[in-house]
Amino acid sequence: RMCTCKNSRCLKLYCDCFAASQLCNGRCKCVGCHNDDFGRDERKKAVAALLEKKPAAFDTKIRGDAHSQGCKCKKSRCLKKYCECYSA
C-alpha cells in the first residue's frame, strides 16, 4: 500500500495504510506522517479514539460479494468509481 496524505498525518481512516492497520513505509509520499515507527504513541491514541467511536472501524467493508455496511448510492447504482462497491 502507498498513501499520499498531506494534512491528516496519516492518522485518519482515509489513509490507505492506517485503514489497513499497517505503518507507512518508504514508498509512501505522505507529509508529516505519524503512522510510522517514530509516531507509535500518537498512532495508538488515534486507534483507541477511533475504536471508541466506531468499534468496527478497521473491519473489512467488503466480505465476499456483499458490502457489509451497505453503500449509499441511489442514482448511480454503484457504477461510479467513488462507490466502495464499484471495485468489488
Side-chain angles (χ1 to χ4, degrees):
R1 299 197 178 252
M2 184 177 89
C3 70
T4 57
C5 301
K6 291 184 175 109
N7 296 322
S8 68
R9 299 179 319 207
C10 299
L11 296 177
K12 303 283 183 181
L13 278 177
Y14 47 80
C15 172
D16 292 336
C17 300
F18 186 76
S21 299
Q22 296 179 0
L23 298 176
C24 292
N25 55 35
R27 294 189 332 230
C28 294
K29 296 177 182 172
C30 44
V31 177
C33 181
H34 288 219
N35 186 29
D36 56 6
D37 290 329
F38 302 110
R40 284 195 187 267
D41 293 334
E42 287 191 43
R43 184 181 191 283
K44 285 180 185 178
K45 289 178 189 175
V47 168
L50 208 65
L51 289 175
E52 186 177 319
K53 290 179 187 176
K54 186 177 176 184
F58 293 100
D59 293 350
T60 57
K61 294 179 183 177
I62 298 173
R63 295 182 185 149
D65 292 341
H67 196 273
S68 65
Q69 296 176 353
C71 67
K72 295 172 181 60
C73 294
K74 292 178 183 173
K75 294 181 181 179
S76 68
R77 297 186 310 232
C78 305
L79 297 175
K80 301 290 182 180
K81 289 184 181 180
Y82 56 78
C83 176
E84 294 172 353
C85 301
Y86 181 78
S87 62

